[in-house]
């Protein structure tokens, strides 16, 4: 087919599609117009009728019209977008009539280039063993950089090019298969790597050759190979199993046949190559998680391998390896076997807690509290020498803690009952070990080692309580008091350990953020005070630097004063700078700031006014020290302290948003601090300050809320309905007639007010007479005229009168009781009375029932 014919066919198809789409758009426009007309008729009909006169059927018809109209408009918008897309394609076809043929030629060129590259790699760079050794890195880079296997069964390729490409791919497969079973380690290493990347790039080649490649790789594991070849083989096997584990067609041929064989080969290989322990544990963990049923024949050997690493001997040298062993043991507990997965998980948790209890009893030289010995793992016995066994017991406690953490964080496919009481009891006993050792009356030399191991033991307790909060969530609510007691025991700080303090603050932050007042209410106030004390950083003071003048530095410049004493060299020294204070941050201060921030955000009332003032003062002082001494600090130091400054600003913002009513306002200082923080070199600090200024702006410039209308009474509501109904019928009724009812109601209200005013006139006259009998004779120059108020003002509520009086009069404490009969006025001279009444701005005491009360 020629180029012009192909372009003509493509152009014709686009033109036909455009015409059909235009017809569809026109049809939808017509339908939308009809629906709009019907909807407008329905709207007008409902506007001229009462809501009560509209039937339910008419409402449903109206809603159905609205729904159909919206649906038609949405469909019309989608069809218009599709029409525009076809128009763009049509225009492109008009501009370039050779588009289709050019696409075909480009695909053919890509396939031909891939065929030539594969042929060159196979016949030249992988021709023999020497070529493989010299060019393996180049071959791997080429395979990774170019997608050479993406054109299998590609369309739009000529027949000759497709045949050549298929032949090149087959030759490549034969070559890498021969490399996997090669005679030297270099060729086997190259074959394993090339098989892995070929399978990852082409799922079709993987599905065709996965059985053969898996068998070849398992054969490599059974040989005496060097370490890099074995590591690459394990990683390739893991990638293959991960790729085909969710494909049902491979389960019988690959999974069921090869996975048990792979598990046995890996467990047999560990004794010969102990350096492969990390890779072996990773493969066993994945295999037990993905295929628990197929892993059951290997559970005992895998469990013995994990316990060999969890006896505490490798905890200090390789803690990551112990974590992998604990994770693998947790995966094995869900594999089942002779017992169910739930029973196996519970048994593993009980054995871990029993082992920890045994170690605690050994350290405290006591026996078990229970009558029967607790379940324990089959671990080697501790040493007879306490100088060796107590550190070994502490390491074993850390290892068993990793087991409990792995059990609680491992995803499960069944519902498992968690023994929270037992786990939390173990954590509490671990927290109390240093306290029990310090308060013990037995002067045993073994107890001297426990203070050295206190941070390790109590950190294990903290980790257990933290993972309980993460794993159980709200189910930890009944146990918060026990957690608070354990935290209080750890906070005694018998041994100063920054790592322990950081862990304790992280635990407090976690529980405060998750449980709030439910947890804080169980904490003693001393712990809150110690948390606030931890944000006080250590300050290093630099001595003042003294500079000598040129005349004083020379020895001949010393002169004797008039008293015969020589002037020292510091007499005329110039002090370049005063004492400079440099702030020394550490991880404890950072963790304490996070805890204080959590307290301010979730439980701000836990601080007393004095403690709150101290915290705010400390935060503001640190920020001012940063602002003052920031230019003298090195740039790298300012960048490393950016998290601390950001936390300080967040604490200040949290304090502003939850203020203490009995504390002096720190808002002006906070605004100054946030404004200064906008010039901080750290982007994170600037973002925090900008956000804080936006947050506190409504506090500084408060705005009145929206004036909401009070709810109408039934009478007003009926009047409004009557007015709206009568105004709709403007042809028969006028507006004056509509409002006549409202005017009649207003007139009746005015008549009631007049009657009330007439009823209140005797009371007003009696009040005036009472005031004239009790006031002082008029000797002053000016007389106060008391206006007579209307009865409507007299009948105002008491709170309105109080607010008017407080707004008109300055605050003044009365000197006489309100409800007592006033004493007769004392005989004073006119001058004294005049002096006492010079200040006309001071009002008289307002007595209840007097005329002044109405002002």
């Amino acid at each position: 087919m020629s180029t012009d014919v192909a372009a003509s066919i493509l152009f014709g198809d686009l033109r036909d599609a455009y015409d059909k789409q235009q017809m569809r758009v026109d049809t939808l426009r017509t339908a939308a117009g009809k629906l709009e007309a019907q909807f407008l008729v329905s709207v007008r009909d409902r506007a001229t009728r009462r809501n009560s006169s509209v039937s339910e059927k008419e409402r449903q018809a109206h809603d159905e019209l609205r729904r159909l109209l919206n649906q038609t408009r949405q469909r019309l918008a989608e069809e218009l977008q599709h029409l525009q897309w076809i128009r763009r394609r049509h225009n492109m076809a008009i501009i370039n009539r050779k588009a289709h043929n050019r696409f075909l030629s480009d695909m053919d060129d890509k396939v031909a280039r891939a065929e030539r590259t594969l042929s060159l790699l196979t016949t030249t760079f992988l021709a023999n063993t020497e070529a493989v050794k010299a060019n393996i890195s180049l071959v791997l880079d080429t395979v990774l950089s170019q997608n050479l296997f993406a054109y299998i069964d590609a369309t739009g390729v000529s027949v000759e090019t497709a045949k050549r490409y298929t032949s090149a791919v087959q030759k490549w497969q034969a070559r890498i298969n021969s490399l996997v079973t090669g005679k030297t380690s270099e060729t086997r290493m190259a074959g394993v790597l090339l098989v892995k990347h070929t399978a990852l790039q082409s799922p079709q080649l993987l599905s065709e050759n996965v059985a053969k490649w898996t068998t070849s790789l398992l054969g490599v594991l059974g040989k005496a190979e060097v370490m890099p070849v074995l590591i690459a083989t394990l990683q390739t096997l893991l990638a293959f199993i991960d790729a085909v584990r969710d494909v049902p067609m491979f389960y019988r041929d690959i999974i069921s046949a090869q996975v048990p064989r792979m598990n046995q080969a890996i467990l047999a290989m560990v004794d010969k190559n102990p350096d492969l322990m990390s890779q072996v544990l990773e493969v066993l963990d994945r295999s037990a998680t993905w295929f628990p049923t197929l892993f059951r024949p290997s559970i005992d050997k895998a469990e013995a391998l994990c316990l060999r690493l969890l006896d505490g001997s490798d905890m200090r040298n390789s803690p990551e390896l112990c974590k992998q062993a604990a994770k693998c043991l947790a995966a094995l507990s869900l594999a089942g076997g002779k017992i169910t997965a739930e029973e196996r998980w519970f048994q593993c948790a009980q054995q871990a807690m029993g082992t920890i209890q045994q170690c605690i009893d050994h350290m405290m030289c006591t026996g078990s509290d229970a009558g029967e010995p607790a379940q324990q793992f089959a671990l080697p016995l501790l040493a007879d020498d306490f100088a060796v066994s107590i550190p070994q017991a502490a390491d074993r406690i850390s290892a068993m803690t990793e087991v409990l953490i792995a059990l609680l964080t491992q995803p499960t496919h069944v519902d498992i009952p968690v023994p929270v009481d037992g786990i939390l009891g173990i954590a509490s006993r671990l927290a109390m070990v240093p306290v029990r050792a310090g308060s013990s009356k037995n002067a045993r030399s073994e107890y001297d080692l426990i203070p050295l191991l206190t941070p390790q033991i109590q950190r294990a307790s903290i980790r257990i309580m933290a993972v309980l909060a993460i794993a159980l969530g709200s189910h930890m609510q009944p146990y918060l008091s026990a957690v608070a007691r354990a935290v209080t025991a750890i906070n005694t700080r018998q041994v100063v350990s920054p790592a322990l303090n950081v862990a304790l603050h992280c635990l407090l932050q976690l529980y405060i953020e998750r449980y709030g007042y439910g947890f804080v209410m169980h904490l003693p106030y001393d712990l809150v005070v110690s948390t606030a004390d931890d944000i006080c950083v250590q300050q290093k003071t630099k001595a003042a630097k003294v500079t000598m003048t040129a005349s004083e530095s020379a020895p001949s410049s010393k002169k004797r004063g008039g008293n015969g004493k020589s002037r020292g060299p510091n007499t005329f020294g110039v002090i370049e700078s005063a004492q400079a204070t440099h702030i020394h941050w550490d991880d404890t201060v950072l963790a304490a700031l996070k805890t204080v921030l959590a307290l301010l955000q979730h439980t701000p009332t836990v601080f007393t006014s004095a403690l709150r003032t101290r915290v705010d003062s400390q935060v503001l002082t640190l920020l001012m020290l940063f602002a003052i001494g920031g230019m003298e600090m090195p740039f790298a130091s300012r960048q490393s302290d950016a998290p601390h400054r950001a936390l300080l600003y967040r604490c200040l913002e949290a304090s502003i948003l939850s203020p203490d009513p009995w504390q002096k306002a720190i808002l002006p200082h906070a605004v100054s601090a946030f404004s200064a923080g906008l010039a901080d070199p750290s982007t994170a600090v600037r973002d925090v300050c900008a956000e804080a200024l936006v947050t506190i702006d409504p506090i500084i410039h408060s705005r009145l809320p929206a004036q909401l209308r009070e709810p109408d009474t039934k009478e007003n509501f009926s009047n409004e309905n009557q007015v709206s109904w009568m105004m709709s019928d403007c042809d028969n009724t006028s507006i004056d007639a509509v409002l006549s009812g409202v005017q009649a109601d207003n007139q009746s209200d005015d008549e009631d007010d007049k009657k009330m005013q007439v009823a209140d006139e005797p009371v007003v006259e009696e009040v005036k007479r009472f005031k004239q009998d009790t006031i002082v004779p008029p000797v002053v120059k000016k007389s106060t005229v008391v206006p007579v108020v209307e009865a409507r003002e007299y009948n105002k509520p008491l709170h309105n009168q109080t607010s008017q009086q407080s707004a008109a009069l300055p605050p003044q404490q009365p000197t006489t009781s309100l409800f007592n009969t006033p004493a007769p006025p004392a005989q004073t001279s006119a001058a004294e009375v005049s002096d006492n009444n010079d200040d006309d701005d001071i009002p008289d005491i307002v007595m209840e029932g007097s005329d002044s009360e109405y002002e």
Side-chain angles (χ1 to χ4, degrees), residues 638-651:
R638 294 199 300 270
Q639 293 299 317
S640 62
D641 293 340
H644 302 82
R645 296 197 302 275
L647 272 177
L648 286 172
Y649 283 115
R650 288 191 180 278
C651 290

Side-chain angles (χ1 to χ4, degrees), residues 345-515:
W345 188 96
F346 190 81
Q347 180 182 0
C348 186
Q350 291 291 338
Q351 289 176 345
M353 290 187 289
T355 304
I356 294 176
Q357 183 61 46
Q358 180 193 11
C359 295
I360 294 175
D361 295 338
H362 181 81
M363 296 173 67
M364 300 304 300
C365 303
T366 59
S368 179
D369 297 336
E372 298 180 0
Q375 298 181 11
Q376 303 173 10
F377 284 118
L379 298 176
L381 297 177
L382 299 173
D384 296 334
D385 189 1
F386 278 94
V388 179
S389 63
I390 289 182
Q392 186 180 359
D395 294 340
R396 188 168 293 183
I397 288 173
S398 301
M400 291 298 107
T401 302
E402 297 294 339
V403 175
L404 288 177
I405 292 173
L407 287 172
L408 291 172
T409 56
Q410 179 75 16
T412 60
H413 56 277
V414 292
D415 295 334
I416 295 177
V418 180
V420 184
D421 293 328
I423 297 176
L424 195 56
I426 288 295
S428 301
R429 294 189 190 100
L430 289 174
M432 293 296 296
V433 165
V435 180
R436 290 172 57 188
S439 60
S440 178
K441 298 180 180 179
N442 298 329
R444 302 180 64 94
S445 59
E446 295 83 3
Y447 290 161
D448 297 338
L449 295 174
I450 294 181
L452 302 177
L453 302 172
T454 294
Q456 181 182 358
I457 297 171
Q458 291 187 339
R459 271 187 296 170
S461 175
I462 290 173
R463 296 190 65 194
I464 293 174
M465 290 185 287
V467 77
L468 281 174
I470 295 172
L472 301 182
S474 60
H475 297 286
M476 279 293 294
Q477 292 281 359
Y479 307 97
L480 294 179
S481 58
V483 175
R485 288 193 297 270
V487 168
T488 305
I490 297 174
N491 193 52
T492 54
R493 303 186 183 184
Q494 296 182 354
V495 177
V496 179
S497 174
L500 181 60
N501 294 338
V502 170
L504 180 60
H505 284 303
C506 292
L507 179 67
L508 288 173
Q509 178 191 357
L510 174 64
Y511 272 84
I512 291 169
E513 291 176 352
R514 284 182 176 266
Y515 306 108

Side-chain angles (χ1 to χ4, degrees), residues 61 95 124 216 310 329 331 404 449 454-455 462 465 490 523 543 595 611-612 623 775:
I95 295 172
T124 304
S216 302
L310 294 173
L329 186 62
L404 288 177
L449 295 174
T454 294
I462 290 173
M465 290 185 287
I490 297 174
L523 293 177
T595 306
L611 185 59
R612 183 68 173 272
L623 289 175
I775 59 175

Side-chain angles (χ1 to χ4, degrees), residues 607-740:
F607 293 101
T608 61
S609 298
L611 185 59
R612 183 68 173 272
T613 303
R614 203 170 86 193
V615 170
D616 293 341
S617 302
Q618 180 67 18
V619 171
L620 287 171
T621 302
L622 293 176
L623 289 175
M624 286 189 292
L625 287 176
F626 267 122
I628 295 172
M631 300 304 297
E632 299 180 1
M633 299 172 62
F635 180 77
S637 177
R638 294 199 300 270
Q639 293 299 317
S640 62
D641 293 340
H644 302 82
R645 296 197 302 275
L647 272 177
L648 286 172
Y649 283 115
R650 288 191 180 278
C651 290
L652 188 58
E653 179 187 3
S655 180
I656 292 296
L657 296 180
S658 57
D660 187 0
W662 307 104
Q663 180 192 8
K664 292 184 178 179
I666 60 171
L667 188 58
H669 307 289
V671 172
S672 302
F674 288 134
S675 302
L678 295 176
D680 196 272
S682 175
T683 306
V685 176
R686 292 198 300 269
D687 293 342
V688 171
C689 293
E691 180 183 356
L693 287 174
V694 172
T695 304
I696 66 177
D697 182 71
I699 303 176
I700 304 173
H701 307 92
S702 58
R703 297 173 177 86
L704 290 176
Q707 299 296 323
L708 300 178
R709 181 181 177 183
E710 295 184 357
D712 293 330
T713 60
K714 294 183 179 180
E715 296 179 357
N716 294 337
F717 187 73
S718 61
N719 290 334
E720 288 179 3
N721 290 338
Q722 182 181 5
V723 169
S724 61
W725 173 71
M726 297 180 67
M727 289 182 68
S728 63
D729 193 6
C730 295
D731 297 337
N732 301 325
T733 308
S734 63
I735 298 178
D736 296 335
V738 170
L739 298 177
S740 60

Side-chain angles (χ1 to χ4, degrees), residues 786-815:
V786 181
V788 179
V789 297
E790 297 181 359
R792 185 181 301 274
E793 295 182 2
Y794 177 76
N795 293 326
K796 286 184 179 179
L798 181 58
H799 62 84
N800 291 337
Q801 297 180 13
T802 306
S803 61
Q804 291 179 2
Q805 293 176 7
S806 61
L809 303 178
Q812 184 177 9
Q813 184 176 2
T815 56

